Amino acid sequence: MKAVESKIREYLLNTIDISDIGIDEGKEKLGMDSLDDVEFVMWLEDEFDLDITDEEAEKWANLRDVVAYVESNI
């Protein structure tokens, strides 16, 4: 579902100081800190009407993992 990936990319590009995001980029490469992580998960929950546990969010290694999780839970 390309729309999910596009929405997530758009959010991240508008939130963090980076010009592009590869699908396999990890959070550390994106320069996200713990506050960014919390805000990102809250945005995902609101945008896609999800309940995401901390344990689940901690499993995500890259953008591909986030997109797969959202697509399989909407």
Side-chain angles (χ1 to χ4, degrees), residues 34-47:
S34 59
L35 181 58
D36 294 326
D37 286 344
V38 169
E39 290 174 349
F40 180 51
V41 171
M42 288 172 50
W43 175 82
L44 289 169
E45 290 177 326
D46 289 343
E47 183 70 24

Side-chain angles (χ1 to χ4, degrees), residues 1-64:
M1 203 182 276
K2 199 69 167 169
V4 168
E5 182 180 336
S6 294
K7 281 186 178 183
I8 293 171
R9 271 183 202 277
E10 182 178 339
Y11 171 83
L12 291 171
L13 290 170
N14 289 322
T15 305
I16 57 178
D17 187 24
I18 195 166
S19 61
D20 192 26
I21 300 169
I23 191 75
D24 293 312
E25 297 288 355
K27 289 186 276 187
E28 62 285 340
K29 175 119 188 208
L30 299 176
M32 294 177 72
D33 61 23
S34 59
L35 181 58
D36 294 326
D37 286 344
V38 169
E39 290 174 349
F40 180 51
V41 171
M42 288 172 50
W43 175 82
L44 289 169
E45 290 177 326
D46 289 343
E47 183 70 24
F48 298 103
D49 195 28
L50 298 170
D51 275 326
I52 302 169
T53 65
D54 292 339
E55 293 79 21
E56 188 59 46
E58 289 172 6
K59 294 177 188 176
W60 303 333
N62 52 42
L63 182 57
R64 183 183 309 277

